[in-house]
Amino acid sequence: MVAPTPAPGSWSVAATVRASRALCETFARHQLARGASRVFLFHDDPEMACDLALPGVTSTICDGGWWRRGRPEALEQRQLHNATRAKGWCGTDWILHCDIDELIWSESPVAEVLASVPPNVGGILVRPVEAVYAAPPDADTIFHTPHFKRFFSPSGRPRAYRDISQRVYGELWEATKYGFWGHILGKSFIRAAAPVGKMPLHGKKPDEIAGLKMRHHDERLVLRHYDTLSPAQWKDKHLRRITGKVLVPQAGKFRARQQQLIAETLAHEGEEGLDRLYLRMAVMPPELLAESLEGGFVRLILPEPHLAASPAMPAAQ
């Protein structure tokens, strides 16, 4: 039996998660509200796994039966494996692989944007923006911020942000990528029919596969990244990495610098030092926030009603 042709612009999302039921539901409901047909949640910790009773959501427990050849030690390898499986299952035109602290956004319907992409495009690399706060968020207000750092200027010259991001972060700037605590690479929508092999973590390489462009950019799509989370979740995420409970060998040199900074702060200043470090990383004083908005380092994206009323995201692995 021949599988039906997916509707142009239809899309799915895949994420490998370690989160409570309420937080998984927040993530799934957001993607569905933005127009996703399917949401695939791969539960990396079987003890925290849940099965959401939401149409279009598929939950997979990544236990010993799932990892038939043994569970890969690196989180990135588990993510790629899971996203590639979801690509084969999705039945949609496109699939996005992202983390649970990353939410897609567009002023236009996402499906409308995807349907308008030229047919010779097999991958769309969605650029990220990173949440910043005017005051420390708690577990219920992470999504309330309308402020997001952005890396790319309208003229395409990232150096324009160098000076202002250095003023914001001071000596901490050396542990960032132009002021980003997360990544600047973005995440990819991949055509489900494209013969790409494994799904990518960020952009698919090489740049062209079977005549399809794999690193196309469409400025209408934005990936909102809530990297610093709430103070408690931020600590949990990084302490799990520092202690080796989660291995992320492909995280890059800036993540390594951040882990070193956090570990040294904890060793020399304790929990209170970590609280102060979080404030410097996540919260902008009013004068710097105003300057960042004026200079284009920070942009406004108002939260949707379903996010403003939702609990915060869990700590990403």
Side-chain angles (χ1 to χ4, degrees), residues 204-233:
K204 186 65 181 179
K205 296 180 180 179
D207 292 346
E208 185 171 312
I209 298 175
L212 296 173
K213 297 179 180 179
M214 299 309 304
R215 300 170 74 87
H216 177 78
H217 289 282
D218 193 309
E219 299 300 334
R220 293 173 292 178
L221 297 170
V222 175
L223 191 69
R224 290 180 297 186
H225 189 190
Y226 299 82
D227 185 71
T228 53
L229 303 164
S230 70
Q233 293 165 335

Side-chain angles (χ1 to χ4, degrees), residues 161-213:
Y161 294 120
R162 184 184 182 99
D163 291 343
I164 192 169
S165 65
Q166 284 182 318
R167 288 198 297 277
V168 170
Y169 294 113
E171 77 280 3
L172 298 185
W173 189 84
E174 294 297 329
T176 77
K177 182 66 172 178
Y178 289 98
F180 272 61
W181 295 106
H183 60 86
I184 63 170
L185 298 175
K187 297 294 175 72
S188 288
F189 275 102
I190 300 293
R191 283 195 193 272
V196 300
K198 288 185 178 180
M199 285 283 286
L201 282 175
H202 297 285
K204 186 65 181 179
K205 296 180 180 179
D207 292 346
E208 185 171 312
I209 298 175
L212 296 173
K213 297 179 180 179

